[in-house]
């Protein structure tokens, strides 16, 4: 039986893309913080860590919400 429901499918074509970007952002920010801390750039390390942590937390919460649907 065919359906006449014409609602568009709003699922992304790459559902794991957000998870990969979130993971990659976390890894890059960790490496950057370590390198900056070892070169005695503590202010820059703090800023990069804060930005990386925020992006990771926001991206991780969106990944968790999508998986629970």
């Amino acid at each position: 039986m065919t359906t006449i429901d014409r609602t568009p499918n709003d699922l992304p074509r790459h559902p794991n893309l957000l998870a990969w970007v979130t993971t990659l952002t976390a890894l890059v920010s960790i490496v950057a913080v370590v390198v900056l801390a070892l070169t005695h750039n503590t202010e820059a390390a703090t800023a990069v860590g804060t930005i990386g942590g925020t992006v990771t937390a926001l991206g991780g919460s969106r990944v968790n919400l999508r998986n629970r649907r």
Side-chain angles (χ1 to χ4, degrees):
M1 180 173 183
T2 59
T3 112
I4 55 173
D5 182 21
R6 294 180 186 245
T7 53
N9 186 2
D10 63 344
L11 294 176
R13 293 184 181 169
H14 303 287
N16 293 329
L17 182 63
L18 181 59
W20 280 105
V21 169
T22 302
T23 304
L24 187 63
T25 301
L27 292 175
V28 168
S29 66
I30 289 170
V31 169
V33 166
V34 169
V35 169
L36 289 169
L38 289 175
T39 58
H40 304 291
N41 291 322
T42 55
E43 294 87 7
T46 303
V48 169
T50 303
I51 293 168
T54 303
V55 169
T56 302
L58 292 175
S61 64
R62 294 211 42 196
V63 169
N64 288 337
L65 289 174
R66 180 169 296 282
N67 287 338
R68 290 185 183 171
R69 281 188 191 174

